[in-house]
Structure formats: structure tokens, C-alpha cells
Amino acid sequence: MSEIIATHKWERFTFRERMARFAVFLGFAIALSLSISTVEVIPEFLYDAPTQAADLLVRMWPMDFAYYPQGIHEAMLETLHIASLGTLLAIVMAVPVGIMAANNIVHFSPLNWLAKLILVSSRSVNSLVWALLFVAIFGPGPLAGTVCIGFRSVGFVGKLFAEALEETNPGPVEALTAAGAPWFSVFLKGYWPQVAPAFWGIFLFRWDINVRESAVIGLVGAGGIGMVLDTALNLFYWDRVSVILLSIFAVVILAELLVTYIRKRII
Amino acid sequence: MAGIIEKTTVGHGNPFKVNWWVRFAWAAAFLYVIYAANYLDVSWVRFIGGLSNGADFLGEMVPVNFSRWKLLVGNLVETVEIAVIASAFGIVFSLPIGLLAARNMMPPWITWPARVFIALCRSFHPVIFAILFVKAVGFGPLAGILTLIFASIGFIGKLFAEAIEEISLKPVEALRASGAPFISIIMYAVVPQVQNRFIGFSSYQFDANLRNSTMVGIVGAGGIGGTLFAAFQRFDYDFLAAILISIIGLVMVSECISLQIKKVFQ
């Protein structure tokens, strides 16, 4: 017995596991060194950065608070409405796609894959790119922004909703099916009560993200505070830019606090 | 078993009771939609009008034009480079910052500045950072790299600090009692407990950086975004479709890779 202990050295990972880990680090190191050697960075610009940043900060001060009631307040309300309406639109679209993607509800793999493709495409395309697309379609304004937020969020909401549906306990569903309930009732009384907390959690979480995103999609013309920011940037009104950034920061923090509070209360 | 029988005999009411609060919330949501749509001047007419525009738009996208594939590949390589460099520096910087923000390891006068810095990094969308950095360091990938470094610090730093706050303090106390210096406490008591989660956050953030590096170019911070924006402005929609397809392809490939990496570290 003692001989076995002496000869067998205990190892946490097998040789293959260690090699795989090593390969990941090596691959990342190679990619990093290749990237640093080929990326076109002008070193003078990097050395100059602190001076330029200091110059920027000097221009931002003192802040032009008088501009808030004139131009920012209205745009900020618009941003919040775009975020909320966009999130609701996302929910309307994400519920059917999410159901289609859940393989314990729809037992037809091509449909599952189609739904997954929709969800991945929605998530892969950045919100600014979606905004560009919808500005090209609907013209500049909050309509493009709302639809952009909706399409961008479908992937996130739908994916998490589908995962929640796949994790449900089949017991209540089987009971309802055995009792002869129609499909809609099975969904409403079998699946929905089990996924509702997760669903509202996802909704709140996405709303929080959307407040951030709807603040910037205006940069490409999709309405909200971003359009005001874009104008101020183009006209070099740095004292206004700093007020806008401060108000975005305040709204984002408030949204996060609100979401945390509601999550604690309800879920 | 007895409990179940009891329940079925006692409860004669409707098992699916109407929850008036929920109905009220749905009605409120519906009213809000009408109000907000009015406020934003979002109307059905405009939506339908846009749909025909959208059909034209999609029509111009086909056939997809891959003839300028050299430009496309060059841009994609730059995008990946931005993501790789930014992730590396972001991960390296967020380690100490996350540690400084952990309230169980550091006194309050250190954690507060660190937490405020992380909150600042997190609150602004990367595009806003990108605009500021383009003004500070000029057009090009450097601005994109700096942007994504800050975004990475905001995300990894916060989660890393939370992970450190959740560790078991027993190994820390044991090392402290035996007189180990601070750096040894970090290396042998803290890091082993949070290492795996840190790698998880990092690989997730690499994915996020890759997605965002396709976008920072829209404001001039390097990568494929600049070409994308130019294609939009020149109504070059068939080339635009090629760019969008390659972005989606790139993101899917990176998702597969990060899935494999997660398997390696489980």
C-alpha cells in the first residue's frame, strides 16, 4: 500500500489537460505579439495623448449647466421612452422566437435552428449598426431608434428566455397535457408560471442595458440624447458635451439602482 | 402522499386564480405603449411607409458583393487585432483594480476610488469612450484599443471584485497567522479561489471586445466599422451586405472558440 502511494504522484490535471491549457495561453500570446507588431499605431499619437486629454478636460470646464433645460431634458426623456418602448417591442418579438428555439416545446430541429440563427444574428450585429440600418429604412428619428433597440434586444431576451424554458420541470406540463388542456393553456399554466420570474428578470436587465444603448444610437441619427451629443461634438461645444455626459452618467446610475431595487422587491 | 390528498380535498376553489395585479400591470404597459408611441411620433403609417423602403434596401443588398474581399480581410484582421490587444491589456489592468475594489481585502479609502473608477468605465457606452479617444489620440486603431481597454476594466474589474468578496477567508487568515507577506497572501490564498471565474470573465470579455471592435470604427477608431459606415454613406448596399455577413461570421467563429476555451478550463 505504502509503495503505491510513494510511486503514484497525485496530479490535479492530466497531461492532455495541461497541454490544452498551455495551448490556449500560447495561442493567445502568439496572437497578441502578432497583433502588436502589425497594428498601425503611430507612437507619437500615444505620447501626445496625455496633453490632448488634459486639453479636452480644460475645454469641458466649466460646465454649461444652463444648457440642460434648453436642449438636454427633452432629449433625455425621448431616450428613456426609446429604451422602454424598444424593450417592450423586443419582448413581443422574443416570446415566439424563444418558444421556437426551446427544443422541449418545439420538437422540430430545423425550426430550432432557424430561431437560433435569428437570435445569433440579432446579437452579433451591434446596436449602432442596427441603428444605421433602421435610419436608412425609416429615416432619422426615434422610430428608427425604437425598432433598432427592439431588434438588437431580441437576441439577448430570446436566448435567455429559451434557456429558461428548456430548464422547466416537465411535471406540470405533462399533467395539463394529460388532462386534455389545449396548447395555449399548457403554455400559460404549465410553462409560464415557471419561467415568469426569470422572464421579468431578463426584461429588467435588458431595460437597464437599453438605457445605455439608446443614449448612443442618436450619434447615427436614431433619436434621443445621442443626437444632441453629436451636435455638441461637431460644433466643439465641449462645455455642453460635459453636461450631456454627466446627465447620461446620472440617468444610467439611477436606472441601475431602480432595477436593483425592483429585482430585490419582486424576484 | 398524505399531504397531497389533503390539499386536493381542502381546495375547492379555482386553482388558476385571476391575479388582478398582473392584469393591471399589463393594462398599464399597454397604455404606456400608446402614450410613448404618441410622444415619439411613432405611428403605424410611418412604419408601413418604412417597410417599402426596407424592401428596396434589402433588394439592393443582393447579389452580395464580395469583389473587394482584400479590403474586407484587411479590416477584419485589424478588428481582431484591436480586440486581442485591448483584451490583453484590459485583463492585465483589471486584475489589480479589481483587487483594490474588493472590500474584504482593502480599507475603504482604497476601495472607494477604485469602485468609482470601475463605475465610470461601466456607465458609458464604448462609443462615447471611442469619441473621446478619437479626439485625444486621433483616428486609427489606437483609439479603439484604448476604448476597449476601459470597457474591459469596467466589466472584468467589477465581476472580479465581486468574486474576491465572495471567497472563503480561512486560507487568508491561515497565511496571515503564519506571517506571510501581503503578496504571498494574494498569490496563495486569493488567486487560487478566483482563478477559474477570472478566466471565465476574461473569455467572455474577449467576445464582447470583438463585437465592439466591429463598431468603434463608426466614429473613426479603427477596424471594420469605418468601412461599414462609408458603405452606408455611399449607398453601397451590396458591399454592406458582404461586410455584415463577415461580421456575423467572425462573431460566430469567436463564439465557437470561446466555447472550446471554456471546456478546456472547466
Side-chain angles (χ1 to χ4, degrees), chain B residues 10-259:
Chain B
V10 167
H12 283 299
N14 183 359
F16 303 132
K17 271 194 217 82
V18 176
N19 189 337
W20 286 104
W21 284 108
V22 170
R23 292 214 169 164
F24 177 72
W26 280 111
F30 186 69
L31 287 178
Y32 170 76
V33 167
I34 293 172
Y35 165 74
N38 259 324
Y39 184 91
L40 296 177
D41 199 21
V42 172
S43 68
W44 199 242
V45 180
R46 277 191 69 192
F47 187 76
I48 297 296
L51 286 186
S52 72
N53 263 345
D56 290 348
F57 185 74
L58 287 178
E60 279 176 49
M61 275 188 169
V62 281
V64 180
N65 178 4
F66 274 105
S67 61
R68 274 177 282 168
W69 60 272
K70 272 186 188 161
L71 178 69
L72 206 60
V73 170
N75 275 317
L76 282 177
V77 168
E78 193 177 65
T79 301
V80 175
E81 284 173 350
I82 292 175
V84 168
I85 298 175
S87 305
F89 282 97
I91 291 166
V92 168
F93 289 139
S94 55
L95 260 170
I97 293 175
L99 187 67
L100 290 180
R103 277 173 293 200
N104 56 350
M105 300 302 297
M106 293 287 166
W109 60 271
I110 296 181
T111 58
W112 270 107
R115 296 180 86 82
V116 168
F117 179 69
I118 289 174
L120 270 178
C121 288
R122 258 165 51 77
S123 298
F124 289 114
H125 197 274
V127 176
I128 294 179
F129 274 118
I131 292 170
L132 295 179
F133 280 120
V134 167
K135 303 276 178 192
V137 300
F139 291 98
L142 179 60
I145 293 171
L146 290 173
T147 301
L148 295 180
I149 288 177
F150 276 84
S152 309
I153 291 174
F155 182 81
I156 306 179
K158 178 179 187 251
L159 292 179
F160 189 50
E162 281 172 6
I164 293 179
E165 283 172 2
E166 284 165 16
I167 62 169
S168 152
L169 282 174
K170 283 174 185 164
V172 178
E173 278 166 22
L175 277 177
R176 222 173 247 162
S178 62
F182 183 71
I183 191 78
S184 304
I185 295 178
I186 300 294
M187 287 307 295
Y188 296 107
V190 178
V191 169
Q193 294 193 55
V194 292
Q195 192 183 20
N196 273 358
R197 293 185 68 186
F198 185 70
I199 289 170
F201 304 148
S202 303
S203 71
Y204 181 84
Q205 184 60 29
F206 178 68
D207 255 11
N209 280 347
L210 199 63
R211 278 156 208 245
N212 282 335
S213 68
T214 61
M215 165 272 292
V216 289
I218 291 175
V219 292
I224 202 165
T227 316
L228 178 94
F229 196 45
F232 256 110
Q233 287 181 322
R234 288 182 307 187
F235 306 106
D236 203 354
Y237 292 143
D238 48 352
F239 185 46
L240 177 74
I243 299 173
L244 287 178
I245 290 171
S246 37
I247 288 178
I248 294 178
L250 181 72
V251 171
M252 283 173 125
V253 167
S254 89
E255 264 187 18
C256 286
I257 293 176
S258 67
L259 214 66

Side-chain angles (χ1 to χ4, degrees), chain A residues 12 17 20-21 24-25 28 31-32 34-36 38-42 45-46 48-49 52-53 56 60 74 77-78 80-82 84-85 88 117 120-121 123-129 132-133 136-140 142-143 146-147 176 189 192 200 212-213 216 219-220 229 233 236 238 241 245-246 248-249 252-253 256, chain B residues 16-17 26 29 32-33 35-37 39-43 46-47 50-51 53-54 57 61 78 80-82 84-85 87-89 91 119-120 122-125 127-128 131-132 135-139 141-142 145-146 158 196 199 206 211-212 214-215 218-219 228-229 232 237 240 244 247-248 251-252 255 261 264-266:
Chain A
R12 188 167 168 200
E17 279 174 335
R21 280 163 187 244
V24 168
F25 286 123
F28 192 74
L32 179 62
L34 274 180
S35 303
I36 289 183
T38 55
V39 77
E40 288 162 22
V41 167
I42 304 165
F45 281 13
L46 187 60
D48 197 29
Q52 295 289 341
L56 211 62
M60 282 182 170
E74 196 76 354
L77 283 181
E78 196 175 282
L80 288 174
H81 283 307
I82 291 175
S84 315
L85 205 57
L88 288 170
L117 185 71
V120 169
S121 313
R123 276 179 296 137
S124 314
V125 178
N126 201 283
S127 53
L128 273 188
V129 180
L132 280 169
L133 278 172
I137 292 174
F138 295 117
L143 174 62
T146 309
V147 181
L176 280 166
K189 301 296 178 189
W192 179 249
W200 296 120
R212 271 162 233 235
E213 302 226 311
V216 294
L219 290 168
V220 294
L229 178 65
L233 280 168
F236 300 109
W238 287 104
V241 170
L245 292 183
L246 186 69
I248 293 177
F249 182 66
V252 165
I253 295 284
E256 202 175 320
Chain B
F16 303 132
K17 271 194 217 82
W26 280 111
Y32 170 76
V33 167
Y35 165 74
Y39 184 91
L40 296 177
D41 199 21
V42 172
S43 68
R46 277 191 69 192
F47 187 76
L51 286 186
N53 263 345
F57 185 74
M61 275 188 169
E78 193 177 65
V80 175
E81 284 173 350
I82 292 175
V84 168
I85 298 175
S87 305
F89 282 97
I91 291 166
L120 270 178
R122 258 165 51 77
S123 298
F124 289 114
H125 197 274
V127 176
I128 294 179
I131 292 170
L132 295 179
K135 303 276 178 192
V137 300
F139 291 98
L142 179 60
I145 293 171
L146 290 173
K158 178 179 187 251
N196 273 358
I199 289 170
F206 178 68
R211 278 156 208 245
N212 282 335
T214 61
M215 165 272 292
I218 291 175
V219 292
L228 178 94
F229 196 45
F232 256 110
Y237 292 143
L240 177 74
L244 287 178
I247 288 178
I248 294 178
V251 171
M252 283 173 125
E255 264 187 18
I261 290 180
V264 166
F265 283 101
Q266 252 165 17

Side-chain angles (χ1 to χ4, degrees), chain A residues 124-200:
Chain A
S124 314
V125 178
N126 201 283
S127 53
L128 273 188
V129 180
W130 275 121
L132 280 169
L133 278 172
F134 287 115
V135 168
I137 292 174
F138 295 117
L143 174 62
T146 309
V147 181
C148 151
I149 291 290
F151 271 75
R152 163 77 176 164
S153 314
V154 165
F156 180 90
V157 179
K159 182 187 180 224
L160 294 180
F161 185 53
E163 279 171 7
L165 282 174
E166 281 173 359
E167 283 165 15
T168 48
N169 175 7
V173 177
E174 277 165 17
L176 280 166
T177 319
W183 188 88
F184 186 71
S185 305
V186 172
F187 179 76
L188 203 63
K189 301 296 178 189
Y191 289 106
W192 179 249
Q194 296 192 55
V195 295
F199 185 78
W200 296 120

Side-chain angles (χ1 to χ4, degrees), chain A residues 2 14-15 32 43-44 55 67 111 144 156 167 179 192 203 251 254:
Chain A
S2 61
T14 63
F15 180 71
L32 179 62
E44 281 76 17
D55 180 51
Y67 187 58
L111 265 184
F156 180 90
E167 283 165 15
W192 179 249
F203 171 74
V251 167
L254 283 179

Side-chain angles (χ1 to χ4, degrees), chain A residues 89-106 108 110-123 150-151 153-163 165-166 183 187 199:
Chain A
L89 178 69
I91 281 190
V92 171
M93 292 189 289
V95 167
V97 183
I99 292 172
M100 216 159 81
N103 58 16
N104 59 342
I105 300 183
V106 175
F108 184 57
L111 265 184
N112 293 152
W113 280 106
L114 175 69
K116 284 203 172 124
L117 185 71
I118 295 173
L119 297 179
V120 169
S121 313
S122 157
R123 276 179 296 137
F151 271 75
S153 314
V154 165
F156 180 90
V157 179
K159 182 187 180 224
L160 294 180
F161 185 53
E163 279 171 7
L165 282 174
E166 281 173 359
W183 188 88
F187 179 76
F199 185 78

Side-chain angles (χ1 to χ4, degrees), chain A residues 194-250:
Chain A
Q194 296 192 55
V195 295
F199 185 78
W200 296 120
I202 298 164
F203 171 74
L204 285 172
F205 189 35
R206 189 65 219 186
W207 181 76
D208 186 22
I209 297 172
N210 282 345
V211 170
R212 271 162 233 235
E213 302 226 311
S214 61
V216 294
I217 53 172
L219 290 168
V220 294
I225 190 86
M227 284 173 99
V228 181
L229 178 65
D230 194 39
T231 315
L233 280 168
N234 288 336
L235 300 176
F236 300 109
Y237 279 137
W238 287 104
D239 47 351
R240 287 184 183 177
V241 170
S242 54
V243 182
I244 297 169
L245 292 183
L246 186 69
S247 35
I248 293 177
F249 182 66

